[in-house]
Amino acid sequence: IMSLFGEVPQATPVAVFKLSNDFKEDPNPMKVNLGVGAYRTDEGQPWVLPVVKKVEKLIVADNRLNHEYLPILGLPEFRSSASKIALGEDSPAIQESRVGAVQCLGGTGALKMGAEFLRRWYNGNDNMKTPVYVSAPTWENHNSVFANAGFKDVRPYKYWDAEKRGLDLDGFLGDLETAPKHSIFVLHACAHNPTGTDPTHVEWMQVAEVMKRRKLFVFFDSAYQGFASGCLDKDAWAVRNFVTQGFEMFCAQSFSKNFGLYNERVGNLTIVARDADNVRRVLSQMEKIVRVTWSNPPSQGARLVAITLNRAELFAEWKDNVKTMADRVLLMRASLQAKLQALGTPGTWDHITQQIGMFSFTGLNPKQVEYMIKERSIYLMASGRINMCGLTTKNIDYVAKSIHETVVNVQ
Amino acid sequence: MQVCDLLSWWSEVQMGPPDPILGVSEAYKRDTNPKKINLGVGAYRDDQGKPYVLSCVRKAEAQIAAKKLDKEYLAIGGLGDFTKACAKLALGDDNEVIKSGRNITVQTISGTGSLRIGANFLSRFHTEARDVYLPKPSWGNHTPIFRDAGMQLKAYTYYDPKTCGFDFQGALNDISKIPEKSVIMLHACAHNPTGVDPRPEQWKEIADLVKKRNLLVFFDMAYQGFASGDIDRDAWAVRYFIEQGHNIVLSQSFAKNMGLYGERVGGFTVVCKDAEEAKRVESQLKILIRPIYSNPPMNGARIAATILNTPDLYKEWLGEVHGMANRIITMRELLVANLKKEGSTRNWKHVIDQIGMFCFTGLKPEQVERLTKEFSVYMTKDGRISMAGVTSGNVGYLAQGIHAVTK
């Protein structure tokens, strides 16, 4: 009997997960995983934040809590406190009641909801032709999220300058100037993934000026707030500046990394609009999109974050935990750069400490990456991206020496 | 600053209509009448009208907490311990499908998420037919889900308003005309919203006809265990169809039968020709899932897996599901008894014949409106009530109200 699915082709696996799989199967005791973006301790272990453990105990012990459905848009106390984290406690937009939020499944879910809404309601109705610009390079799933939401024209904007290993500001501004009006731009709020290269404040203001003048839509992806510099407010500077500039915008927030809640899928889509009435109508349409996708979001993670953010001592403890993670990353950056310098590895390595957040774009080319994987069992993305969290005081010498050897022997 | 700076991007965005089902709960919350009853959304309530957290769930949670697990991302397809157990629950431990590895089961965001992934999968890969045939009526959210995924919706006769029962002949007539390769949606048990299920011999004829018509079967099983109180009995239709050679797709929810509503626990299964095909299908399901939410939430799946895979918790669960189903059945009987006591001369037999959480009372929209306005009884306009909202404490008042608007 012929199968209805006889013609379904085997899809290629998502690269970052295949990398983790290959790492798992590698028998080399020296192997290092610098692939997938999750925090690791100096022992190379996942880290459940102490404040998270504490709040989980509170939740389990509280018999008043149950597993009932959340509202479609999510847990109210989560949504409002999450938006406050992004926009600031004293944000004028919040005070003016022109901020709304949708609890979503992780940062991906927030991007998805935003994308679906924009396709239906932005720049006309169901306009699939609005160009969506994502940075070159960007988190690979950005392309899929927007394409899947129906956008037919997802394009790159210049961002990374491979030669100078830094931001291609002129290219970026140039693409903003030539983008069709009303194009959507996905901006990384901080700790750009995968390059770790963020615009400076001055550069952000230049970006904002062009976007305002050319009526481009601001869609921030904020997956690393707090994780980049160790300071929540510092990492939210760009988002808040754009709000001050008067933009209506979306900000997709993830609490996967800064709360270490990866598998609980905790995200928030913050919506800044002209006024409360616009927020109200936008949220009513968001509800319809949510209803045909997941009906209502998962409660555990949102509850955890809401309790933490809304209690002073827990909030303070969380900020401290976040700083612990950010500080370890900064230490590894400094350490790796120092070792490469000491080894006399050809090239400049300042970008290791100039870049920010979990990732570093090493500048290693595909051949060099392949060498690292095959000959050294050091797993990194083909783009040369490494996860700094995969480095520990125990393996950093091995990694530094391997990079050195690779750069010297493989061109 | 230019005038257009003052305009919003969203000026043309219309106010969306309130969701009919969830909107009922919201209206209920606003009502100040102390006698108000919420018979809207399908969430189980105990006899005090309170949400019920299953004892096996609490035990599973305590076990999980003690294990001090990390919070690393799950695979795109979800927690393996959960998906395996989920498939076994639906198909039976010894099912040949599972043994030969020709099913792919992925963890989904409860039933809605499962239906959506299924709809997306069919929309992308089942290109020979765009039509999904739903029973008339069906769960309100089926239509928008499939439509949003790009499928067209059609219907087959199902409910007979004259008998408040199953229009078997009507269903067969309509199904016999469905074009080949179309998708047919079947509610595995405890049909939502009517509570009307085919009898086994009727299921057999349906299975036969569906095979003759060469239709793709999509089973929605949101109430396994919750309908009759028996896990295997409620999955009988699903297993029978598979036995008869239908390679079905199946959505499962653990919202009701484990009371895990807000944790969003569900599964989507495709029964394939063989293990090799299952691998290909799996790879494509992952491609569909990743741009929506990357990977599913852990908490609920871990609880469900713990229960399903721990013998004494599993046993306790079966008992609790049986208990919930029994309370519903008792409430059905009490409601009919009270209606008779009120002096109602209408035939209310369907209230007892119907099964599962919902009851299609047969009330008309005007009667429902009166019931809500005059008695603060909240339900959906189609006359559907959630029996879970009925308690021994409110069944008398409810009978009063229903009698008042129907006499």
Side-chain angles (χ1 to χ4, degrees), chain A residues 358-377:
Chain A
M358 204 181 273
F359 301 113
S360 179
F361 238 33
T362 54
L364 295 175
N365 66 41
K367 274 176 71 185
Q368 293 169 326
V369 168
E370 202 184 332
Y371 184 89
M372 288 277 279
I373 297 175
K374 287 213 158 72
E375 304 302 323
R376 302 321 248 169
S377 290

Side-chain angles (χ1 to χ4, degrees), chain A residues 255 311 369:
Chain A
F255 291 90
R311 243 183 259 188
V369 168

